[in-house]
Amino acid sequence: MTVAKAVLQPVGQRLQRTTGGVAGLMVGEILLGNPLYGDLSGIQVLEVPPRSPAYRTGFEIGDVIVSIDGANVRTLVDLNQRIARADLQYRVDLIRDGVPFWMRISR
């Protein structure tokens, strides 16, 4: 039964309970097709719904979130905890197409 449960779990997680610029993102582990697979720890953006706060903030499919306010993000649990503890404005460090950059997020 445990094996069946693992197979049925979703690949990603939709960030719906968060507010501000990350709301609506579908995120998950870095996928095999990403050139950074195995070389980078972080959470990959799998989907950015149009008209969502995350879309308006500028997230793109394939972005890899590597830290929130300087604290590394390696798992979905890390991401949720970092966002929950963040102030009204916080920094998100990302890798997009192999290039590091950051954005300021407001709740």
Side-chain angles (χ1 to χ4, degrees):
M1 193 66 173
T2 304
V3 173
K5 273 183 143 179
V7 172
L8 295 175
Q9 288 180 345
V11 173
Q13 172 187 343
R14 174 112 27 226
L15 298 179
Q16 293 177 328
R17 294 189 178 100
T18 63
T19 59
V22 297
L25 281 179
M26 173 69 82
V27 295
E29 303 297 323
I30 298 174
L31 300 175
L32 183 60
N34 188 314
L36 299 172
Y37 178 82
D39 293 330
L40 181 69
S41 293
I43 297 298
Q44 184 172 0
V45 175
L46 304 174
E47 181 183 334
V48 185
R51 297 183 299 271
S52 70
Y55 179 84
R56 290 189 297 274
T57 297
F59 283 98
E60 295 181 8
I61 294 171
D63 286 351
V64 177
I65 299 170
V66 294
S67 70
I68 304 285
D69 278 341
N72 290 339
V73 172
R74 292 192 172 93
T75 66
L76 293 170
V77 171
D78 288 345
L79 180 64
N80 285 318
Q81 287 176 347
R82 307 282 188 266
I83 291 171
R85 293 180 188 150
D87 291 329
L88 293 178
Q89 287 194 346
Y90 55 95
R91 177 181 168 137
V92 176
D93 289 284
L94 304 121
I95 304 291
R96 178 178 290 163
D97 298 325
V99 179
F101 76 102
W102 64 274
M103 56 176 72
R104 178 74 52 200
I105 306 292
S106 296
R107 291 186 189 264

